[in-house]
Amino acid sequence: MTETVRLTTAQALVRFLAAQYSERDGVEQRLIPAVWGIFGHGNVAGIGQALLQAATTGDADLPYHLARNEQGMVHASVGFAKMRDRLQTFACTASTGPGSTNMVTGAALATTNRIPVLLLPSDMFATRAPDPVLQQLEDARAGDVSVNDAFRPVSKYWDRVTRPEQLVPAALAAMRVLTDPVETGAVTLCLPQDVQAEAHDWPAGFFRRRVWHVDRPQPDPAAVARAAEALRGARRPLIVAGGGVVYSGAMAELRAFADATGVPVADTHAGKGALAWDHPCAVGGLGSTGTGAANTLAREADVVLGIGTRYSDFTTASHTVFGDPDVRFVNLNVARLDAAKHSAVQLVADARAGLEALGAELAGWRADAGHRRRARGLAEEWARVTDACYRVEHGPLPAQTAVLGALNETLDPRDVVINAAGSMPGDLQMLWRASDPKAYHVEYAYSCMGYEIASGTGVKMADPSREVVVLVGDGSYLMMAQEIATMVSEGIKVIIVVVQNHGFASIGSLSDSLGSQRFGTAYRYRDTESGLLDGGVLPVDLAANAASLGARVIRAEGVEEFREAVERAKAADTTTVVHVETDLYGPNPPSQGWWDVPVSEVSDLESTRRAHAAYTDAKRTQRHYL
């Protein structure tokens, strides 16, 4: 007779999660080491009771962390999982209604970035006995619809557990997707509040220690031969290193491949640092906010080797950066979806395994000496541009690039910088000098304002040995600053650099270039005469706000004070905010990339008409790569 254990559904889920492990290259670790949550009536007596019971009886090892915003706890989980190369993540529990839907943006971010996170939104009563309940969305078309259906399109796996026994296949499927490097992303198990508290006799085997093996798919030899043939025929090859290099742990293999072949290496946000910025083959970020070196080489490239990149529009500069009319692509990617992009020669494999095989097949081959010299010269020229941006003298407020330069030069190579949205990702991709792939943490697949501070908690939890520095503008800070209180309560030391310019610098600049005259992009009083938000500057004190949340605060005026403030923050043992004001209007680093943002085709505004003419001209270079 099968041995059973009588537990509630929530108790069973907690015990199950505590017994799940991932393994790669012989190294095992807990897959779900902890749970983030905010309790409400939908989960306090279910998951909440189960976590309390586990903590007090020792029946399961699954610690609980309290967040201040449900979206924030998903961001913290993503930051943690990204630092752990997608081999570990957290679970997130939320109450019904708004508690659960607050996680939808975080779910979209995780899935877009292909980062695993387990979401446990509470749902309405499966029995429908007290229908409709508090926070229930009533749908006249169907009785089984709830707000949690909003998670379907942003999840890689979605299920609603309406009976206790359904948890067994649902939980196993969830772990399968979380540990699949091709399919991973947000995994959502909706848990009706009555089912969470319902008891069931569970098979004891459900709770055994289970190891999920993360394999390294090997390339097909014929595909390796085709890829090598394409590269051998190249006169001006270029490598694009994406996040897949980092998640695979293929940095040494990329460096060995570059050393052996001499092919210049550009990178995406997710791939920055996979090859150190000062390596002879490194040419910097590529695309809409790419370096002059990388974008010039991309325009000239006849063969592009993409490794672990999904070729977002920022990487391709909206399909304009690769200029050779006969350019060919070779894509090494664990996901066939990405390997097939741009009509490429497909090399479907783990990045490390694929680089090893491709390197062996190309043994003795090197890129043309003239091409290598040109790439090195362009990289050195861009280094001089970076130096100038780092040291630009500007007043009365400093340029953002000078603040970033001071930060880059003050931090140690292993210190992590986190950013996600606004003007800073562009400046960082062009200017930041990364020597360690985990030291550059810019979420740009979803470019979600509010990610920065929340994720800083998860990043620090993933690697307490590193200094973690969150870079955030006032736009993102005002979106989600409350997780500072979480850092303080958890005793987690993070440095938060608040760069305040009293507006949206990135969108303001974009708006200006598109003929929209920076409309609605500055934090100002409403002018009583014009009716527009173009009055005086609002007296918003972000430093005082951070202090009210429990952080230590240092105010800096100018670049030199900023340097000193960062050093003091590094020496501190508690979460410290360094506040500095910069000029909303630049100066900005020189950009050679384009981004496709449509401009109004007809307008009464001369500024918009001029912008549309420029847009039409830029569109002429846009094309499919066939």
Side-chain angles (χ1 to χ4, degrees), residues 24 80-88 246-247 249 438:
R24 188 175 70 180
F80 179 88
K82 187 172 181 178
M83 284 295 287
R84 293 294 180 90
D85 288 331
R86 308 189 299 186
L87 298 171
Q88 289 184 291
V246 179
Y247 300 138
K438 293 303 181 186

Side-chain angles (χ1 to χ4, degrees), residues 222-536:
V224 174
R226 289 191 293 269
E229 180 183 8
L231 284 164
R232 282 196 198 96
R235 291 174 294 121
R236 300 177 302 279
L238 177 68
I239 292 172
V240 179
V245 177
V246 179
Y247 300 138
S248 174
M251 288 75 72
E253 287 71 22
L254 175 62
R255 185 172 60 252
F257 188 88
D259 288 340
T261 64
V263 178
V265 179
D267 48 46
T268 68
H269 276 295
K272 185 172 282 295
L275 190 70
W277 72 275
D278 55 356
H279 186 279
C281 291
V283 296
L286 176 73
S288 297
T289 52
T291 69
N295 283 356
T296 297
L297 291 167
R299 282 193 291 272
E300 299 171 356
D302 56 351
V303 176
V304 177
L305 172 59
I307 309 171
T309 177
R310 65 190 191 93
Y311 288 111
S312 76
D313 68 332
F314 253 70
T315 299
T316 66
S318 300
H319 284 221
T320 62
V321 76
F322 301 110
D324 188 310
D326 299 314
V327 63
R328 299 180 64 196
F329 291 82
V330 176
N331 291 341
L332 165 55
N333 205 294
V334 73
R336 189 171 294 277
L337 168 67
D338 298 311
K341 288 175 179 175
H342 306 326
S343 308
V345 175
Q346 300 176 39
L347 187 54
V348 180
D350 168 78
R352 179 189 289 183
L355 275 169
E356 289 174 340
L358 190 56
E361 187 76 12
L362 286 169
W365 175 82
R366 283 181 67 77
D368 179 77
H371 180 59
R372 300 199 307 270
R373 285 193 299 272
R374 176 161 170 71
R376 190 69 240 138
L378 288 168
E380 290 170 353
E381 180 182 335
W382 186 259
R384 291 189 288 273
V385 171
T386 300
D387 288 338
C389 290
Y390 276 4
R391 291 167 176 77
V392 62
E393 294 186 7
H394 184 73
L397 293 174
Q400 180 172 279
T401 63
V403 168
L404 295 181
L407 185 64
N408 199 181
E409 292 165 358
T410 304
L411 297 183
D412 295 330
R414 292 186 74 254
D415 294 345
V416 183
V417 62
I418 300 173
N419 191 241
S423 60
M424 281 189 280
D427 288 0
L428 288 167
Q429 190 181 22
M430 281 189 266
L431 305 177
W432 195 261
R433 289 166 166 168
S435 301
D436 181 320
K438 293 303 181 186
Y440 185 86
H441 187 114
V442 174
E443 185 283 300
Y444 212 62
Y446 211 53
S447 187
C448 183
M449 297 179 71
Y451 172 83
E452 297 93 335
I453 292 174
S455 73
T457 306
V459 170
K460 186 68 173 185
M461 292 170 73
D463 192 345
S465 72
R466 295 176 184 255
E467 200 76 75
V468 174
V469 180
V470 169
L471 261 176
V472 61
D474 35 355
S476 280
Y477 183 94
L478 289 169
M479 289 275 183
M480 190 177 296
Q482 60 267 50
E483 298 308 323
I484 291 174
T486 302
M487 294 173 181
V488 173
S489 69
E490 293 282 354
I492 294 172
K493 186 269 179 96
V494 173
I495 298 172
I496 301 171
V497 175
V498 179
V499 182
Q500 186 167 8
N501 52 33
H502 301 283
F504 298 107
S506 174
I507 295 303
S509 177
L510 179 65
S511 169
D512 203 31
S513 71
L514 301 178
S516 295
Q517 303 174 19
R518 295 181 178 263
F519 175 73
T521 62
Y523 293 141
R524 301 289 189 272
Y525 285 105
R526 187 172 299 280
D527 187 277
T528 54
E529 293 186 8
S530 69
L532 302 177
L533 293 171
D534 58 1

Side-chain angles (χ1 to χ4, degrees), residues 561-584:
E561 280 193 22
F562 176 75
R563 286 180 188 272
E564 295 170 3
V566 173
E567 292 289 3
R568 290 166 57 193
K570 290 174 65 176
D573 59 3
T574 187
T575 291
T576 302
V577 170
V578 177
H579 177 275
V580 63
E581 292 202 28
T582 59
D583 193 327
L584 177 65

